[in-house]
Amino acid sequence: VNPIPDDRESDSTASSDGLDDQRPSPRLFDAVVEQPAAVAQLLAAAVRPVHAYLVVGSLDLGGRELARGFAAALLCPHGGCARCETCRRVLAGVHPDVVDVERAGAALSVGDAAEVVRIAQRKPIEAGGQVVVVADLHLARLSAPVLLKTLEEPPGPTVFVLLADMVPPDLATVASRCIRVDLRPVPQGELAAWLVAQGFTPDLAHTVAGASGGNPSRARLLAEDPEFSARQALWRSVPSRLDGTGSAAGALAAELLAAAEQAAGPVRERHRLEIEQRNEDAEATGVRTPMREIQERHRREDRRQRTDELRAGLGVLAGEYRDRLAAQADVSGAHAGPGTEAAAARARQLVQAVSFIETLAEELVRNPNETLQLEALLVRLSSVPG
Ligand SMILES: [Zn+2]
């Protein structure tokens, strides 16, 4: 239907400035940080799309931005030019034929899935097709059968982009009806380079890249956060401030939690700006996203930010005990003799301290009762001489 002229085959730059270029522009994916494999896969897929894609990986890795770039490639009358009004509006999240479906409650319910089906059967409003983006598919255990039916009998010109943190076994059938696109945590070096390109100093970029778990959204928040190094210093001070008493452990836990709470400042500011922007867009276009959904998402992001912050702090703390362990090994190696047994006992304590910390870091994700867990950890660590 849209044959690609021969000159484009022989010289890919010849028509790159023309709006008649039928290949999608990689610039549609400028907002996606360091996911070259996923971007290449969707650039290729946009030329002859199937009806469902499943993007797997934490939302913070850019699933939403990836979905928008892909939607622009599909709906743009020029094949994804990244410059026309359609591309601009799709990328800004205000095109009526790109519909974001957000869950209303803790799971993606049967009601949410029915809404997906209803939207999918609608006729496109402006473009030749529509794109339905469904977030948190991993929480669709009960509603999967409803979605499956629609995915198996796709209505007209609708392309689904399903976003999931992971694929639990009970969603394997839904996943099998989709082309899978994987997002990966960004390696520390690439993440640091990305931050440096945005004007952050190499030292800061390297430190926050290490503390972000390969997550660009979190790395950027940390880099913009003037209190970041103060919080790192606070976590590093823990071993020397534990004096063996429960009261010291309790006070320190409260201080660490307060710091984690304060760390939510930048993400809350970002939320405030998003709501402001949404209100302006709604004024300009008449398309209104229900605020309740946005507020729900903000609450989830706020929660995730806190967990990420505590896990990063625990990582710093584990590093402190590892450093002590390494210093201990040096000392023991240099002075084999009467002190060896005491040194070995201390080394065992330090190894155990690291293991306590790492266990809590894992448990925080499943059962985020931070206050009690952090206090219990510090009480345990109190028996390890700082
Ligand atoms: Zn365009």
Side-chain angles (χ1 to χ4, degrees):
V1 190
N2 286 317
I4 296 167
D6 287 337
D7 65 323
R8 224 170 311 183
E9 294 296 339
S10 55
D11 181 0
S12 63
T13 61
S15 57
S16 64
D17 287 327
L19 282 180
D20 60 340
D21 195 329
Q22 296 297 327
R23 286 185 190 176
S25 162
R27 293 197 38 225
L28 292 174
F29 297 96
D30 277 357
V32 180
V33 182
E34 297 291 345
Q35 297 290 344
V39 167
Q41 191 182 349
L42 289 181
L43 279 171
V47 180
R48 299 188 71 175
V50 298
H51 60 271
Y53 294 83
L54 175 60
V55 178
V56 182
S58 161
L59 258 195
D60 278 349
L61 295 176
R64 210 174 285 279
E65 292 77 10
L66 197 71
R68 286 200 180 151
F70 187 49
L74 297 178
L75 301 189
C76 168
H78 316 288
C81 66
R83 283 182 292 165
C84 72
E85 187 60 14
T86 300
C87 283
R88 193 194 65 74
R89 285 192 296 149
V90 172
L91 294 178
V94 294
H95 193 288
D97 291 320
V98 182
V99 187
D100 285 310
V101 180
E102 301 270 351
R103 62 191 160 94
L108 195 69
S109 67
V110 172
D112 296 328
E115 175 70 0
V116 172
V117 173
R118 189 188 66 75
I119 292 167
Q121 284 162 349
R122 227 176 47 164
K123 280 204 169 62
I125 294 166
E126 286 183 17
Q130 65 172 351
V131 179
V132 180
V133 183
V134 184
D136 292 329
L137 188 81
H138 55 284
L139 299 174
R141 309 176 70 160
L142 294 175
S143 52
V146 179
L147 291 172
L148 191 59
K149 193 162 163 16
T150 300
L151 293 175
E152 282 175 338
E153 297 160 23
T158 296
V159 172
F160 293 96
V161 182
L162 311 174
L163 310 176
D165 282 7
M166 59 191 155
V167 181
D170 37 6
L171 287 173
T173 314
V174 167
S176 73
R177 302 299 187 270
C178 307
I179 301 279
R180 178 169 167 150
V181 180
D182 282 297
L183 299 174
R184 51 163 201 168
V186 180
Q188 188 173 350
E190 292 173 30
L191 197 46
W194 173 70
L195 290 165
V196 169
Q198 291 177 70
F200 296 103
T201 64
D203 268 359
L204 178 65
H206 187 77
T207 312
V208 299
S212 70
N215 175 332
S217 167
R218 177 165 167 76
R220 168 121 213 168
L221 272 177
L222 293 179
E224 287 167 349
D225 181 353
E227 300 299 323
F228 168 68
S229 45
R231 292 200 305 277
Q232 291 233 312
L234 177 62
W235 282 94
R236 273 197 297 272
S237 75
V238 168
S240 57
R241 290 174 63 193
L242 288 170
D243 61 5
T245 67
S247 60
L252 204 42
E255 207 178 320
L256 293 168
L257 289 167
E261 176 64 24
Q262 186 205 35
V267 86
R268 286 180 190 152
E269 173 62 8
R270 192 185 278 187
H271 289 162
R272 195 185 61 73
L273 291 174
E274 186 189 340
I275 290 192
E276 224 173 71
Q277 182 65 48
R278 288 280 175 156
N279 286 334
E280 281 173 24
D281 289 344
E283 296 268 314
T285 63
V287 180
R288 187 170 284 280
T289 317
M291 278 300 167
R292 184 178 57 93
E293 292 172 5
I294 294 174
Q295 284 161 348
E296 273 296 322
R297 175 163 56 77
H298 286 175
R299 262 195 288 282
R300 286 196 297 275
E301 286 175 1
D302 203 76
R303 168 82 247 164
R304 191 184 309 163
Q305 145 74 20
R306 245 174 106 76
T307 309
D308 285 352
E309 178 64 28
L310 288 174
R311 292 185 80 192
L314 290 167
V316 170
L317 184 56
E320 278 300 296
Y321 284 105
R322 274 199 206 93
D323 287 350
R324 283 166 167 72
L325 190 58
Q328 181 78 17
D330 287 347
V331 172
S332 310
H335 310 281
T340 311
E341 197 143 315
R346 173 157 167 79
R348 275 196 301 277
Q349 281 184 312
L350 291 170
V351 168
Q352 199 170 37
V354 171
S355 144
F356 287 152
I357 296 165
E358 287 176 343
T359 304
L360 176 56
E362 283 165 25
E363 280 174 0
L364 271 182
V365 180
R366 285 195 295 275
N367 174 23
N369 184 353
E370 331 155 320
T371 309
L372 288 177
Q373 288 180 320
L374 190 59
E375 274 176 15
L377 172 73
L378 295 185
V379 167
R380 281 175 139 179
L381 295 179
S382 291
S383 64
V384 182

